[in-house]
Amino acid sequence: MLNFEVVNPTRIVFGRDQLNRLPELLSEFCPSKRVLIAYGGGSAEKIGLLSKIREQLKDFHVVEFGGIEANPQFTTLMKGVELARKESVEFILAVGGGSVIDGVKFMTGAFHYQGDAWDVLIRKENCVFDVALPFGVVLTLPATGSEANSGAVISRDELSEKRAMGGPLFFPKFSFCDPTVVASLPKRQIANGIIDAFVHTLEQYITYPSGNILQERQAEAILSTLIEIAPKVLENPGDYTLASNLMWSATHALNGNLRCGVPTDWCTHMIGHEFTALYHIDHARTLAIVMPRLWENQFDNKKEKLAQYGKRVWNLSGAEVEIAREAIVKTEEFFQSLGVDTKLSSYSGDTDHVAEIVRQRFEERGWIAMGERQAIGLNDIEAIVNQTI
Ligand code: NZQ
Ligand code: ZN
């Protein structure tokens, strides 16, 4: 087992009809009672969630900032920062999925930042958020785990960029996770959520044997749960038991637990982010496109864990190498069974130079040795992307 250190200070309030706890939890972090509520393009209003939150916060000075896009945009978020400063808010409440939550994480850091906050995202020397406003979450989409972690991904479409940020300042103080929101989700978003949670687990599991028996079995438990519930929750999103298992699995997949004492990969995500930046493909779909091809490219480095996964999660039997190969096929078929295409060319006709572009971006960022063994070099990146087309 590898050494590790872990802390997760986010209070999760899980279950239905819990929002009456909101004023009490907020008061702890917001003595002035000046709160900004941030949300996306209208779903939170449509499902009646915003009106419930307004009702709970009637004794607070509430300012609202809506319109945060899927793949939250730097320029939009800076407008939110201006509003938050003008209104001297002391706390931000994110009401939404990963995009709104990530957008709010960025806003809480940019709120106090004196220079151009984009410099922080591109990691310009000495440019960091060293203080942030406190924030909380009302989750509307189980997928990213952003409600229980300190990472965020921010896009800037005019530059075709999507950049990650994070750090201990960016854990939510609390997150309300009510599975009944799943009932209102379009099938596309439920499928995305299942795949994102599934791939978060795999990024921390399909590496090399770690000797961390507990963590590996926890990962297998999440994968098995998602496989079991996936077709049912797509068919019946109003089923509370299914929805709550989806939501709790997604939170667990990226709350910092699975990475304890094990190697992690994350290269599928890094390539996937470039696909979203270049083609605006939904985050989860980029992962479904990349992961099977990355595994084929890295087969020798990952075959032991692929075989373990094939046996324990997909109940495959036979020779180890055959099981490992079949596990890749099963994974891709699982993504496809959720209605998700796994070829880049199904999403865009303009893929001629994509492999060189992604390679060049990795090189510019110094990402020249990726994956759990630092074995994925620039030639591999180019080869993997070529295989996705
Ligand atoms: O904008 P609204 O109208 O709210 O509609 C949203 C959006 O169009 C809709 N939606 C959300 N809740 C709904 C709903 N529609 C009906 N009923 C509801 N209850 O769903 C659409 C997608 O929302 P979004 O927040 O973009 O989805 P998701 O949660 O999948 O977040 C994706 C973003 O998170 C980042 C991704 O890169 C992407 O930008 N990620 C964040 C991570 C993190 N912070 O840990 C890790 C992930 O790997 C990922 O990179
Ligand atoms: Zn993800």
Side-chain angles (χ1 to χ4, degrees):
M1 197 186 295
L2 305 178
N3 292 354
F4 65 92
E5 192 171 318
V6 64
V7 60
N8 189 325
T10 301
R11 178 189 299 267
I12 302 288
V13 184
F14 194 94
R16 55 181 146 208
D17 303 330
Q18 297 292 309
L19 275 179
N20 57 344
R21 302 275 322 281
L22 185 56
E24 173 205 333
L25 291 181
L26 246 179
S27 297
E28 186 183 330
F29 304 102
C30 189
S32 71
K33 297 198 170 227
R34 299 181 75 82
V35 187
L36 181 96
I37 302 181
Y39 50 92
S43 69
E45 189 81 82
K46 209 161 127 198
I47 64 176
L49 189 56
L50 279 177
S51 60
K52 283 186 194 156
I53 291 170
R54 289 184 193 115
E55 173 61 24
Q56 290 297 334
L57 299 187
K58 57 182 185 302
D59 295 333
F60 286 70
H61 173 82
V62 172
V63 187
E64 295 192 13
F65 180 70
I68 297 176
E69 311 86 348
N71 303 309
Q73 294 295 318
F74 172 79
T75 315
T76 305
L77 299 171
M78 286 311 297
K79 290 182 188 148
V81 171
E82 270 170 43
L83 179 64
R85 286 178 182 153
K86 185 168 144 260
E87 294 285 340
S88 304
V89 302
E90 208 177 9
F91 192 96
I92 304 183
L93 185 67
V95 183
S99 294
V100 173
I101 304 168
D102 285 11
V104 164
K105 288 176 181 175
F106 168 79
M107 284 166 62
T108 63
F111 181 87
H112 290 291
Y113 191 72
Q114 299 296 324
D116 180 353
W118 183 248
D119 290 342
V120 177
L121 291 170
I122 59 171
R123 297 174 192 228
K124 202 164 162 186
E125 214 179 328
N126 299 324
C127 297
V128 286
F129 294 144
D130 47 23
V131 54
L133 279 180
F135 71 99
V137 169
V138 179
L139 182 66
T140 67
L141 199 176
T144 62
S146 189
E147 69 280 6
N149 69 43
S150 60
V153 200
I154 306 301
S155 295
R156 193 165 184 178
D157 276 357
E158 67 271 28
L159 305 178
S160 295
E161 287 272 16
K162 180 162 177 159
R163 295 288 191 140
M165 56 159 274
L169 291 170
F170 301 102
F171 280 104
K173 296 297 178 196
F174 55 78
S175 288
F176 285 86
C177 301
D178 177 352
T180 62
V181 296
V182 174
S184 68
L185 283 171
K187 274 195 166 55
R188 165 175 161 183
Q189 297 303 340
I190 298 177
N192 284 352
I194 294 166
I195 291 176
D196 200 18
F198 203 78
V199 174
H200 291 162
T201 309
L202 292 167
E203 294 269 31
Q204 303 168 89
Y205 173 73
I206 299 294
T207 53
Y208 54 82
S210 66
N212 191 335
I213 298 166
L214 176 64
Q215 239 63 18
E216 293 187 4
R217 289 206 183 270
Q218 287 187 350
E220 289 153 6
I222 295 173
L223 298 168
S224 301
T225 304
L226 289 169
I227 291 167
E228 182 179 331
I229 64 174
K232 300 180 200 158
V233 74
L234 272 173
E235 222 24 68
N236 193 0
D239 182 312
Y240 186 79
T241 303
L242 295 171
S244 46
N245 278 287
L246 171 58
M247 188 169 267
W248 195 220
S249 295
T251 299
H252 263 288
L254 202 52
N255 67 358
N257 175 46
L258 290 184
R259 69 165 174 77
C260 292
V262 301
T264 59
D265 182 342
W266 294 112
C267 192
T268 291
H269 267 71
M270 304 327 272
I271 299 174
H273 287 165
E274 298 306 334
F275 284 179
T276 300
L278 292 166
Y279 301 112
H280 300 110
I281 303 169
D282 290 355
H283 169 65
R285 285 157 200 255
T286 68
L287 308 176
I289 295 167
V290 176
M291 184 160 259
R293 304 293 83 82
L294 184 139
W295 283 353
E296 284 162 1
N297 177 279
Q298 290 295 302
F299 188 76
D300 282 340
N301 287 329
K302 291 179 180 288
K303 60 180 185 296
E304 284 153 293
K305 289 300 287 290
L306 279 168
Q308 177 178 320
Y309 162 64
K311 277 185 267 187
R312 292 191 186 170
V313 176
W314 291 108
N315 302 315
L316 301 173
S317 56
E320 293 279 308
V321 174
E322 292 314 313
I323 294 175
R325 291 232 178 263
E326 185 61 18
I328 302 178
V329 175
K330 285 277 182 199
T331 306
E332 188 164 5
E333 284 174 357
F334 176 58
F335 298 152
Q336 290 164 344
S337 76
L338 306 176
V340 170
D341 225 302
T342 55
K343 275 207 159 301
L344 184 61
S345 48
S346 310
Y347 298 85
S348 171
D350 177 23
T351 54
D352 280 358
H353 302 291
V354 61
E356 297 101 277
I357 295 170
V358 174
R359 178 197 174 111
Q360 193 189 339
R361 287 175 167 217
F362 270 56
E363 191 167 12
E364 280 163 14
R365 287 167 202 175
W367 297 346
I368 54 172
M370 304 292 284
E372 68 277 6
R373 298 180 198 257
Q374 290 81 54
I376 309 178
L378 293 173
N379 289 341
D380 299 305
I381 296 293
E382 198 173 333
I384 292 164
V385 174
N386 265 324
Q387 289 303 314
T388 66
I389 298 167

